[in-house]
Amino acid sequence: MEGDKRFRELIDRSFVEEVSEDERQLIHDHIRDCDGCKRYLELTARTIRGLREFTFTSEPDSNAQVREILAHHTETMRQHNVQFKVWAAFAVALSMSIVGSALVYQVAKLLTVPMHFDTAQVQAGVLVFWLLPSFCSALRLLAAPGENRGIA
Amino acid sequence: MTLNTTAETETAKIARGLRERDMELLADLVERRQHRLVRYLLYLTGRREYAEDLAQETWIRVLQRGSQYNGRQRFDPWLFAIARNLAIDYLRKKRKAVATVSLPNDRDAMLLLPSSDPSPFEAAARSEDAMRLAGRLQILPPLYREAMLLRFQEDLSLAEMAQVLGAPTTTVTSRIYRGLAALRSAFEEGDSHGG
C-alpha cells in the first residue's frame, strides 16, 4: 500500500514535471502487475485529456471591441504625451528667457557709464530687445503648428 | 536552437512594439491571445461577465505598461500575471461591495468569491468527460482551477507558472496535484457508481 502511494506520486509527477527515463520505466514495469496503479494512471490521463476538451467561445465582436478601446486609449495617451512635452518645452524656454535676460541686464549695466545711458534706458532696452522677444518665443511653443495647435 | 532564436525574435519584437505603442502589433496580440485570456480569467473568476470585462482591462494595462515587458521571457506569463493581479483587485472591490465581513490578508483569498450563476464550464464542455469535469471545476477552488488551466491547457512550465502566480514552484506543484486529485475523483466516483 505504501509502495502504491509512492508510485502514484511518481505517476502524478510524470504528468506535471520532468521525470527521468528510469522513473518512467519504473512506472511502466509497476503497472504491468498492479491494476490499482494502472487504473490510477489511466484516470489521471483521462482527467488531463478531459481538461483539453473545453471550448470557450468569445463574444463575436469581442476582439474588435478591444482593438477599438486600445486605439482610443493610444490616441488619448499620445495627446497627453504631446501636451506634456509642449508644456515642458515652454517651462524650459521660459526659464532660459528669464535667466538670459538677467545676464544681459547685468552686462548692459556695466556699459551704462561708458555709453552714457541711464538705468531706465538700459532696463527699457533689455525689456524691448531681449525679454519680450524671448518670452514671445517661449509662448509660441504653446501654439505650435500641426498636432500641437490648440493645446495652449 | 532555431526555435529559441525564433522565440527570442518574437518576444523582442513584442517588447519593441509595446514600447512604441504599435497598434498593429497590439491588434495582432489581441487577435491571437484574447480567446486564451478570457478563458484564463474565466477559470480564475468562474464568471463569464467578469472575464470579458477583465480581459479588456488587461489589454489597457498592457498598453499603459508595455514598456515594462523586457522581451527576455515569453509574453504569455507576463500577460497572465497582469490579468491575475487585475482579477484579484477587481474581486476584492466586489467583495468589499457585497460583504461586511473583514477581508483576509492573503491576496489569493480574494479569488474565493462564491458564485450562484450557471456554470460556464458546462457550457464549454465538448465531451462526456469534459461534462463530468465541468461540475467539479465549478466547485474547485479557483487557485487549483487556474493551476490546472495554466499547466494542462496553456502548457506553461512550472517556472512560468510561478511567475504568473507569484508563488514558489513548490506551491505551484502542490496546487496542481491537489487540483488533479479533486478532478480525478469525478471519474473515480462516477465509474464506481456506474459499476
Side-chain angles (χ1 to χ4, degrees):
Chain A
M1 202 61 190
E2 190 57 37
D4 279 358
K5 193 183 167 208
R6 195 170 60 85
F7 273 105
R8 288 176 188 195
E9 282 171 359
L10 189 57
I11 288 169
D12 276 353
R13 205 150 61 78
S14 72
F15 282 99
V16 176
E17 303 169 56
E18 288 292 317
V19 291
S20 68
E21 202 46 52
D22 287 347
E23 286 174 317
R24 214 168 274 285
Q25 189 59 46
L26 210 60
I27 296 171
H28 184 74
D29 292 343
H30 177 76
I31 60 171
R32 265 203 309 236
D33 305 321
C34 178
D35 286 343
C37 288
K38 186 180 176 187
R39 181 170 155 68
Y40 185 87
L41 187 141
E42 285 167 355
L43 286 181
T44 307
R46 192 175 161 191
T47 304
I48 293 167
R49 212 168 39 241
L51 278 171
R52 294 182 170 136
E53 290 164 353
F54 285 91
T55 309
F56 293 93
T57 49
S58 306
E59 296 289 327
D61 54 352
S62 153
N63 288 11
Q65 259 180 18
V66 172
R67 283 199 300 268
E68 203 174 302
I69 290 168
L70 288 181
H72 175 74
H73 271 264
T74 308
E75 183 56 26
T76 311
M77 286 166 75
R78 198 185 61 78
Q79 280 177 7
H80 284 167
N81 198 23
V82 167
Q83 203 170 353
F84 173 77
K85 279 182 181 170
V86 169
W87 279 101
F90 172 69
V92 170
L94 192 63
S95 312
M96 285 171 71
S97 168
I98 291 165
V99 171
S101 299
L103 284 173
V104 168
Y105 179 63
Q106 293 303 324
V107 172
K109 261 201 325 191
L110 294 176
L111 298 175
T112 308
V113 177
M115 301 291 284
H116 305 292
F117 290 136
D118 60 29
T119 311
Q121 282 174 318
V122 172
Q123 282 175 347
V126 170
L127 181 72
V128 172
F129 295 109
W130 195 273
L131 185 59
L132 280 179
S134 62
F135 185 64
C136 288
S137 300
L139 277 177
R140 266 194 55 140
L141 285 171
L142 295 181
E147 61 184 6
N148 300 344
R149 189 190 292 279
I151 286 170
Chain B
M1 187 66 187
T2 313
L3 270 176
N4 279 345
T5 313
T6 312
E8 278 167 22
T9 310
E10 176 76 13
T11 56
K13 197 174 132 192
I14 292 174
R16 197 183 62 244
L18 289 178
R19 264 198 313 275
E20 294 167 0
R21 300 209 172 107
D22 177 350
M23 272 315 292
E24 206 174 307
L25 175 115
L26 271 165
D28 186 53
L29 289 177
V30 171
E31 197 62 43
R32 287 165 188 254
R33 289 169 170 88
Q34 168 72 355
H35 170 77
R36 286 163 52 204
L37 183 60
V38 170
R39 182 176 67 180
Y40 171 61
L41 287 163
L42 197 58
Y43 266 70
L44 205 53
T45 63
R47 302 200 200 178
R48 178 109 224 168
E49 69 275 18
Y50 290 0
E52 298 276 354
D53 288 351
L54 283 166
Q56 285 188 1
E57 286 296 318
T58 304
W59 286 116
I60 292 171
R61 196 58 68 91
V62 167
L63 176 69
Q64 290 168 338
R65 306 209 176 154
S67 56
Q68 291 174 8
Y69 174 61
N70 58 22
R72 284 195 288 273
Q73 293 136 349
R74 284 209 306 147
F75 176 70
D76 295 351
W78 188 76
L79 178 71
F80 288 139
I82 291 178
R84 187 175 201 274
N85 287 333
L86 279 172
I88 290 170
D89 290 344
Y90 183 80
L91 294 177
R92 174 183 282 152
K93 281 180 198 157
K94 281 269 171 199
R95 195 182 171 118
K96 261 185 187 168
V98 298
T100 52
V101 292
S102 62
L103 297 173
N105 290 327
D106 185 1
R107 284 187 95 223
D108 289 341
M110 292 305 133
L111 295 172
L112 303 172
L113 197 72
S115 168
S116 56
D117 294 345
S119 164
F121 303 106
E122 282 178 12
R126 293 288 174 268
S127 69
E128 203 178 312
D129 281 353
M131 189 57 93
R132 275 194 188 186
L133 290 175
R136 290 291 161 136
L137 276 172
Q138 188 64 30
I139 55 169
L140 193 68
L143 294 178
Y144 300 155
R145 207 163 53 202
E146 74 166 332
M148 295 282 98
L149 170 88
L150 292 176
R151 186 69 190 103
F152 299 120
Q153 286 181 273
E154 289 298 337
D155 287 322
L156 257 56
S157 69
L158 294 175
E160 286 173 331
M161 284 183 67
Q163 184 195 337
V164 174
L165 306 181
T169 316
T170 46
T171 308
V172 171
T173 46
S174 152
R175 286 181 193 172
I176 298 173
Y177 292 142
R178 286 181 189 187
L180 204 50
L183 293 182
R184 191 170 40 223
S185 67
F187 294 122
E188 285 166 351
E189 287 167 18
D191 287 356
S192 64
H193 289 158

